[in-house]
Amino acid sequence: MTTNTAEKPGDLPFWKTKTLAEMNDAEWESLCDGCGLCCLNKLEDWDTGEIAWTSIRCVLLDGESCRCSDYENRQATVPDCIRLTVESVAEISWLPPTCGYRLIRDGHDLYWWHPLVSGDPDTVHQAGISARGRTVSEEGLDIDDYEDYLVTWPLEVGEGK
């Protein structure tokens, strides 16, 4: 007796069957793996457009949970907070390589540690993907000192994962 283990289209999770534009609000929000990487401050070279990452987190990002402490009102507190939308995800070049929005946008599957796959919101931290324990708050830092906090690890997380 043989068992067919192939998944039928109706059995596939939503991120394998829908585009970002087809997702409802709950599906969209669940694509965020809680890594906190997009909430790190970045510096842009005005001449080249090159993005440099820092280990400085937004004042609203909790450094341990890697979640926004005031998600619903974040743009009132942090006016330059970028709200991810289908349109912005299509245009943003700096999304981390492990970002669920970027992966789905580019036609890839989610990693094993993504909470939608693992069923556990802690696996993103256990796998070493998140910003947990690697950041400092922007609160009290002078913007002229941001270059002292340049890092490359947000672009390297997930390599070989």
Side-chain angles (χ1 to χ4, degrees):
M1 180 175 152
T2 59
T3 304
N4 183 358
T5 58
E7 293 179 322
K8 295 178 281 189
D11 295 338
L12 294 175
F14 72 88
W15 65 89
K16 291 186 178 187
T17 61
K18 293 183 176 184
T19 66
L20 293 174
E22 294 170 330
M23 293 181 189
N24 64 38
D25 289 345
E27 291 167 338
W28 177 268
E29 291 295 325
S30 70
L31 276 185
C32 176
D33 59 25
C35 71
L37 298 179
C38 64
C39 298
L40 298 179
N41 282 271
K42 295 153 219 55
L43 302 176
E44 182 176 1
D45 184 304
W46 288 8
D47 296 327
T48 67
E50 183 180 348
I51 301 292
W53 288 73
T54 74
S55 59
I56 303 168
R57 68 181 179 270
C58 170
V59 69
L60 294 178
L61 185 70
D62 180 291
E64 285 304 305
S65 71
C66 294
R67 292 293 185 171
C68 184
S69 62
D70 192 13
Y71 186 72
E72 294 302 318
N73 302 304
R74 67 192 182 279
Q75 291 178 303
T77 307
V78 181
D80 60 346
C81 176
I82 296 174
R83 182 175 176 267
L84 293 182
T85 63
V86 172
E87 296 78 22
S88 65
V89 167
E91 296 172 3
I92 296 173
S93 63
W94 51 257
L95 288 172
T98 55
C99 175
Y101 298 101
R102 178 178 177 167
L103 291 169
I104 301 306
R105 174 195 76 190
D106 295 346
H108 302 292
D109 200 359
L110 301 177
Y111 288 99
W112 68 266
W113 45 259
H114 192 289
L116 286 172
V117 177
S118 71
D120 182 354
D122 257 2
T123 51
V124 68
H125 307 300
Q126 294 164 358
I129 305 305
S130 76
R132 178 182 277 175
R134 305 184 198 201
T135 64
V136 297
S137 176
E138 67 185 358
E139 196 166 22
L141 286 181
D142 189 304
I143 197 158
D144 291 334
D145 295 331
Y146 277 31
E147 288 184 2
D148 295 340
Y149 294 89
L150 293 177
V151 293
T152 59
W153 57 260
L155 298 175
E156 298 162 357
V157 296
E159 289 184 353
K161 302 280 183 207

